[in-house]
Amino acid sequence: MQCAPIDLAPWRSRLREAKLIKLNGRVTQVIGLTVAVQGINAPIGEVCEISIPGGPEPVLAEVVGFRDGSAVLMPLGELRGVYQGCSVTPSGKSFNVKVGEQLLGRVLDGLGEPIDGLGPIGGRLKDYPVDNRPPNPMKRRRITEALSTGVRVVDALLTCGRGQRMGIFAGSGVGKSTLLGMISRYSNADVNVIALVGERGREVLDFIETDLGPGGLARSVVVVATSEQPALVRLKGAFVACAIAEYFRDQGRDVMLMMDSVTRFAMAQREVGLATGEPPATKGYTPSVFALLPRLLERPGMSAAGSITAFFTVLVDGDDLNEPVSDAVRGILDGHIVLSRSLAATNLFPAIDVLNSVSRLMPDITSEEHRAYAGKLRDLLATYRQAEDLINIGAYVAGSNPHVDEAIAAYQSIINFLKQDLYEHAQYDHSLEMLKTIVHKGAGEHG
């Protein structure tokens, strides 16, 4: 009896690709955020270990460039204890994160390790690549279904589709994180993945316990890379969150990815770019910042199995919506929600400036009737804003303009509609009914 021939081709291929001899290098220089290493042959993106004699664990660092015959590495941890001559060993692989159902309800650091004091993540976990490419545009399913966020003004006037990517633009202290917390608690997504990139350490526990709450945390994975972490860890935190969201999407789930904030992600990349010798280009940002933003922002969306709906906050520098990062992000995403400091000062929460916000997919996922009522409310609000100064000083005479009269009749109802308590869950259908009632009421009172 003859045995079937064994196909050795795959094994030969693996043998050719295997690194049977690992070359150890030596640290030759540490300048600012970078470590220069000689003696290794590692590509961009490979993770290396810097051994510290007597230290508890080696320091992980990633190859980010080359200069004068040396590999330039950036640390994924503290460089304290590293000195000239430390041994450096390439790992032979890029950075991966461990994923699985056990991540739900856990808080991770920027490298995917638990920091919530609940011990290691048990069970079988799968290694998942962090630096994935965005899905093939020809294989993305079209977005045809509305997603309820539980926020009345968003559902009624800025309707978001399942698989859409939205930006929340605001200056500091206007309510970006609080709005994210509301969406994470009340949306009808299966899983939330929340990335807090470059945030203040004090705000992390506040967000988890107050904005997110125990119910929201139970179906969420929170990735935290605070502002004092190395720039590369802050960058990895954003990509780790994307990879975890992609894992759950590939399991057929509808995932909500929320990131606070893209601006601090861009600042981290600026630090990396400047440290590796890039020239500052647009208002101090290096060219690699604007090359990296699409690689992050294009990853969420629809796939053959599931969906990732994404909300990215953008910290607007000096409340200038046309500053470089805001302008670049707005051009990539599928819509933007603008929070207004002046509206927040009038105790309107969420302080969404409806007239300056837009959902690009709303016409595709809403009924003709819904769009008509939303457009009418926008028209009433715009008319009132144009005549507001005359109304406030008493110079407007009732009956002078029927459109202004209608806007005045509906204005207080519109403001009450736009306001929503932090712990009020607005049902999608109820929000649409309220929208219809306000428009009809304004027309009826004027008539």
Side-chain angles (χ1 to χ4, degrees):
M1 182 176 177
Q2 291 184 344
C3 295
I6 300 174
D7 183 10
L8 298 177
W11 299 99
R12 291 194 185 99
S13 175
R14 292 180 65 179
L15 187 61
R16 282 194 298 269
E17 294 173 0
K19 293 185 178 181
L20 303 180
I21 301 176
K22 286 191 175 181
L23 297 176
N24 284 359
R26 297 286 175 184
V27 173
T28 58
Q29 207 173 31
V30 176
I31 301 177
L33 304 174
T34 62
V35 180
V37 177
Q38 286 189 345
I40 62 172
N41 186 18
I44 296 285
E46 183 167 337
V47 176
C48 301
E49 295 181 350
I50 305 176
S51 301
I52 303 175
E57 291 181 354
V59 176
L60 297 181
E62 185 176 292
V63 180
V64 295
F66 307 97
R67 185 190 302 137
D68 299 330
S70 298
V72 179
L73 281 61
M74 292 200 73
L76 294 167
E78 291 288 336
L79 279 177
R80 187 171 299 167
V82 173
Y83 60 87
Q84 191 173 23
C86 280
S87 176
V88 180
T89 306
S91 67
K93 58 184 181 181
S94 58
F95 187 75
N96 291 334
V97 63
K98 294 190 178 297
V99 295
E101 293 289 326
Q102 301 90 328
L103 294 182
L104 292 174
R106 300 302 299 267
V107 182
L108 314 176
D109 66 12
L111 303 181
E113 298 296 329
I115 57 172
D116 50 12
L118 301 179
I121 300 172
R124 277 187 159 184
L125 297 175
K126 176 183 177 182
D127 276 336
Y128 214 75
V130 168
D131 294 322
N132 293 318
R133 291 182 177 275
N136 184 326
M138 298 304 295
K139 294 182 179 179
R140 288 181 185 257
R141 287 182 294 147
R142 292 193 63 192
I143 297 172
T144 57
E145 182 184 356
L147 175 80
S148 173
T149 64
V151 180
R152 188 162 45 241
V153 61
V154 175
D155 288 346
L157 304 177
L158 303 165
T159 311
C160 179
R162 196 178 297 277
Q164 186 171 349
R165 302 158 304 140
M166 293 283 283
I168 300 175
F169 293 74
S172 57
V174 185
K176 299 184 302 299
S177 300
T178 308
L179 180 57
L180 279 188
M182 289 181 68
I183 295 172
S184 64
R185 283 198 305 274
Y186 302 136
S187 77
N188 59 2
D190 299 327
V191 175
N192 296 319
V193 180
I194 303 165
L196 303 178
V197 178
E199 291 299 300
R200 305 173 186 89
R202 174 191 61 79
E203 293 182 337
V204 173
L205 201 58
D206 288 347
F207 177 84
I208 292 171
E209 294 186 352
T210 304
D211 297 335
L212 188 58
L217 181 60
R219 61 188 182 106
S220 303
V221 183
V222 182
V223 180
V224 178
T226 47
S227 57
E228 84 282 358
Q229 295 291 317
L232 204 55
V233 174
R234 282 176 270 147
L235 287 177
K236 290 300 179 189
F239 287 119
V240 162
C242 269
I244 293 172
E246 287 165 343
Y247 164 76
F248 284 108
R249 178 184 65 185
D250 293 344
Q251 307 305 306
R253 308 285 190 87
D254 290 317
V255 183
M256 177 72 76
L257 172 64
M258 286 169 277
M259 188 173 297
D260 189 11
S261 70
V262 173
T263 306
R264 294 194 171 108
F265 169 85
M267 289 177 177
Q269 178 58 29
R270 177 174 64 184
E271 289 181 40
V272 172
L274 291 174
T276 54
E278 274 193 271
T282 309
K283 288 195 175 180
Y285 287 100
T286 56
S288 63
V289 171
F290 303 100
L292 193 64
L293 282 173
R295 284 179 49 199
L296 174 73
L297 302 178
E298 287 285 0
R299 283 173 62 172
M302 302 294 287
S303 74
S307 68
I308 300 177
T309 307
F311 282 85
F312 297 97
T313 70
V314 181
L315 180 62
V316 180
D317 188 17
D319 291 343
D320 178 14
L321 289 171
N322 295 317
E323 59 94 22
V325 173
S326 300
D327 197 44
V329 171
R330 193 166 55 245
I332 298 169
L333 297 180
D334 305 318
H336 51 273
I337 298 171
V338 177
L339 302 186
S340 165
R341 192 176 298 278
S342 60
L343 291 178
T346 64
N347 198 34
L348 177 66
F349 179 82
I352 296 176
D353 186 348
V354 173
L355 300 180
N356 284 318
S357 304
V358 67
S359 170
R360 293 180 182 172
L361 288 174
M362 184 174 175
D364 300 331
I365 57 176
T366 54
S367 67
E368 186 176 348
E369 182 187 38
H370 181 174
R371 293 194 297 274
Y373 282 117
K376 180 61 177 177
L377 188 142
R378 282 174 172 268
D379 182 54
L380 291 171
L381 188 57
T383 301
Y384 186 91
R385 293 272 171 83
Q386 289 171 359
E388 190 168 17
D389 291 340
L390 293 176
I391 295 168
N392 288 338
I393 64 174
Y396 177 74
V397 178
S400 302
N401 186 322
H403 296 296
V404 176
D405 292 340
E406 187 179 359
I408 292 173
Y411 183 68
Q412 192 54 52
S413 297
I414 292 173
I415 294 301
N416 293 337
F417 177 78
L418 298 180
K419 281 185 178 181
Q420 184 173 335
D421 185 76
L422 178 61
Y423 297 102
E424 177 189 355
H425 179 192
Q427 298 289 344
Y428 185 85
D429 292 337
H430 185 244
S431 297
L432 298 190
E433 287 299 323
M434 288 183 67
L435 174 65
K436 295 177 186 178
T437 301
I438 290 169
V439 172
H440 285 309
K441 182 179 178 182
E445 289 185 4
H446 170 62

